[in-house]
Amino acid sequence: MERFVEDYQKRRLTDRVDIMTAINILMSQGYEEDDLLGEMTKVFYVDLDAFNEVIAHH
């Protein structure tokens, strides 16, 4: 994800299905699991509890 968004423009990413979709997209583009959160937070406010729950089951 080569996009950088101003903080006031970021959408909230809180739904587990949406988080899983974002993870799958990034992984299909070659991102490693350790890089996912950093890439996602460039574009979204990510619910960390939901993210960690999804990653634990991924």
Side-chain angles (χ1 to χ4, degrees):
M1 286 184 160
E2 292 290 327
R3 295 181 282 166
F4 291 92
V5 178
E6 294 295 327
D7 281 344
Y8 69 90
Q9 295 175 317
K10 289 183 179 179
R11 282 189 32 217
R12 296 187 183 276
L13 194 60
T14 58
D15 184 65
R16 285 166 181 77
V17 173
D18 293 338
I19 292 171
M20 180 56 83
T21 300
I23 288 171
N24 288 336
I25 290 169
L26 288 171
M27 292 188 90
S28 74
Q29 294 177 354
Y31 287 94
E32 298 293 327
E33 190 171 301
D34 292 341
D35 299 324
L36 296 174
L37 185 59
E39 291 301 315
M40 290 169 65
T41 57
K42 290 177 183 176
V43 182
F44 301 104
Y45 286 116
V46 181
D47 181 327
L48 296 179
D49 292 329
F51 175 84
N52 287 327
E53 185 176 309
V54 169
I55 285 293
H57 292 94
H58 189 261

